[in-house]
Amino acid sequence: GAVVSQHPSWVICKSGTSVKIECRSLDFQATTMFWYRQFPKQSLMLMATSNEGSKATYEQGVEKDKFLINHASLTLSTLTVTSAHPEDSSFYICSASAGTTITDTQYFGPGTRLTVL
Amino acid sequence: GQQLNQSPQSMFIQEGEDVSMNCTSSSIFNTWLWYKQDPGEGPVLLIALYKAGELTSNGRLTAQFGITRKDSFLNISASIPSDVGIYFCAGQLRYNTDKLIFGTGTRLQVFP
């Protein structure tokens, strides 16, 4: 149980284009989903928190107009990197939490590697 | 963004040896978690700790939630080659749907 998938697993795009990454909880309903970014040899840095049906909460320094997050259902959240530039190249990882009990925790997807040329 | 201090940064050990790594914070956390990340993959949860002083095991892994709520350690006994990877601690301030603050990571290399 507690499986989270991401699609695509990797994407290469030209500078200036937009890229959409999907995060799905496959066997549970996720009240909250999180989006992280990880640069090579670094830790995971939280970008934003999203709750189903409401606007995402962005961390300080993360541009909400550049990284659009939509959490339209309890099993799907999407991250759209708009007008991508080479500095946006990174490993993007989502996590999901059912949030039904005190011990529910976050389960992570396999990540999406974005390369902007 | 905020990160937890994790040490050591990297470890190179021989198969069969025990490993210990820790994580410290200037802030109190109510939940401590330990994850392992393989290259090109997302983190996988190893152990979750919910009470100060709690000591929890998962196979060869043992982790403890510090009494001050500002630290945690992870021990791996009798290491094997598949233990290779990056280990991250993570703290959670409030409850299960709260965001995680990750540690800087410990890169473990195991030699046969």
Side-chain angles (χ1 to χ4, degrees):
Chain A
V3 177
V4 176
S5 71
Q6 276 184 246
H7 178 81
S9 56
W10 59 270
V11 57
I12 301 173
C13 69
K14 291 183 178 180
S15 185
T17 61
S18 294
V19 175
K20 180 185 284 188
I21 302 171
E22 292 185 348
C23 176
R24 294 181 185 272
S25 56
L26 298 184
D27 49 3
F28 67 100
Q29 292 187 324
T31 56
T32 307
M33 286 186 169
F34 304 83
W35 286 96
Y36 296 82
R37 182 167 50 182
Q38 185 179 32
F39 292 107
K41 297 189 178 182
Q42 292 188 24
S43 185
L44 285 77
M45 297 301 293
L46 180 66
M47 299 174 67
T49 302
S50 74
N51 292 291
E52 185 263 341
S54 61
K55 289 184 179 180
T57 302
Y58 290 82
E59 294 298 298
Q60 192 173 8
V62 178
E63 300 174 59
K64 62 181 180 180
D65 294 330
K66 181 170 184 61
F67 298 100
L68 302 178
I69 292 173
N70 185 284
H71 193 160
S73 76
L74 286 173
T75 59
L76 173 65
S77 175
T78 60
L79 168 68
T80 301
V81 183
T82 63
S83 186
H85 288 94
E87 58 265 29
D88 298 324
S89 298
S90 188
F91 194 49
Y92 291 87
I93 310 172
C94 72
S95 71
S97 173
T100 55
T101 71
I102 195 68
T103 56
D104 277 345
T105 189
Q106 294 180 31
Y107 295 93
F108 284 80
T112 296
R113 183 161 302 283
L114 170 64
T115 302
V116 185
L117 302 176
Chain B
Q2 183 184 1
Q3 282 189 325
L4 303 177
N5 296 316
Q6 205 170 327
S7 64
Q9 187 176 5
S10 59
M11 302 181 74
F12 300 86
I13 63 169
Q14 205 155 19
E15 183 177 358
E17 289 184 3
D18 297 342
V19 172
S20 183
M21 60 190 80
N22 63 32
C23 196
T24 59
S25 169
S26 57
S27 305
I28 290 175
F29 288 99
N30 287 317
T31 302
W32 282 91
L33 304 156
W34 285 92
Y35 289 89
K36 178 176 183 276
Q37 185 179 30
D38 292 327
E41 301 287 336
V44 174
L45 180 66
L46 299 175
I47 291 181
L49 302 159
Y50 301 103
K51 291 182 181 180
E54 179 181 355
L55 183 70
T56 298
S57 293
N58 178 9
R60 294 178 295 106
L61 278 61
T62 302
Q64 184 158 33
F65 190 149
I67 293 176
T68 64
R69 296 190 174 190
K70 293 183 178 180
D71 63 319
S72 176
F73 73 72
L74 174 71
N75 288 339
I76 305 173
S77 62
S79 58
I80 59 178
S82 61
D83 291 333
V84 167
I86 303 176
Y87 292 79
F88 290 103
C89 63
Q92 201 169 33
L93 281 171
R94 293 188 295 270
Y95 40 79
N96 48 357
T97 54
D98 198 12
K99 63 183 180 183
L100 294 177
I101 307 298
F102 275 84
T104 48
T106 294
R107 186 179 298 269
L108 178 64
Q109 184 65 257
V110 180
F111 295 102

